[in-house]
């Protein structure tokens, strides 16, 4: 998938929000993607909602299982705030049910950890 930058993005790079309660995962994904994309991170779904309300993102990569609001609970709120934003769910819980639930809720894709 090639991300096109949001038209008003001054850096000219697409923006990605990485949402995971594990600092190592946030750091790893940010380091891997920051050469090509502008990356921001959030340690919770609640933090992610605040960042989404403050600015536009082309892609959100979110863990499913987090303390407080889960990634699956975050997904419909992202759809309401930023319907054009692509969401990819990630999870260490390797169940078909969680993948199907994420895709039915509107996720573009589901990736299992470790990746």
């Amino acid at each position: 998938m090639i991300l096109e930058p949001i038209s008003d993005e001054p850096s000219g790079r697409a923006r990605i929000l990485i949402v995971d309660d594990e600092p190592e995962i946030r750091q790893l994904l940010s380091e891997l993607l920051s050469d090509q994309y502008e990356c921001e991170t959030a340690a919770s779904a609640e933090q992610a909602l605040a960042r989404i309300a403050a600015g536009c993102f082309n892609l959100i990569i979110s863990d499913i299982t987090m303390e407080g609001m889960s990634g699956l609970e975050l997904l419909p709120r992202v759809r309401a705030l930023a319907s054009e934003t692509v969401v990819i769910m990630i999870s260490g819980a390797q169940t078909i049910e969680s993948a199907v639930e994420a895709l039915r809720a509107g996720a573009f894709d589901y990736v299992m950890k470790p990746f």
Side-chain angles (χ1 to χ4, degrees):
M1 170 183 8
I2 297 173
L3 296 175
E4 295 295 326
I6 297 170
S7 60
D8 61 351
E9 180 54 42
S11 72
R13 299 190 310 167
R15 297 185 69 213
I16 298 176
L17 178 61
I18 300 161
V19 187
D20 200 304
D21 56 353
E22 296 179 53
E24 300 83 12
I25 299 293
R26 289 193 311 270
Q27 182 178 357
L28 171 71
L29 289 173
S30 183
E31 286 176 7
L32 287 171
L33 298 169
S34 63
D35 284 346
Q36 290 187 310
Y37 305 106
E38 183 178 324
C39 296
E40 288 188 36
T41 63
S44 68
E46 293 83 2
Q47 276 186 359
L49 288 172
R51 286 188 175 54
I52 294 164
C56 296
F57 293 92
N58 299 91
L59 172 66
I60 296 172
I61 300 172
S62 176
D63 190 15
I64 289 180
T65 308
M66 296 183 283
E67 292 291 322
M69 184 187 306
S70 74
L72 290 175
E73 293 170 312
L74 172 64
L75 195 50
R77 294 178 178 171
V78 169
R79 291 278 144 252
L81 289 171
S83 62
E84 297 298 315
T85 300
V86 174
V87 180
I88 295 176
M89 303 303 290
I90 58 175
S91 181
Q94 301 188 11
T95 65
I96 298 298
E97 292 81 20
S98 61
V100 169
E101 189 174 353
L103 295 172
R104 283 188 179 155
F108 177 79
D109 206 351
Y110 175 93
V111 179
M112 289 186 190
K113 295 178 189 175
F115 29 80

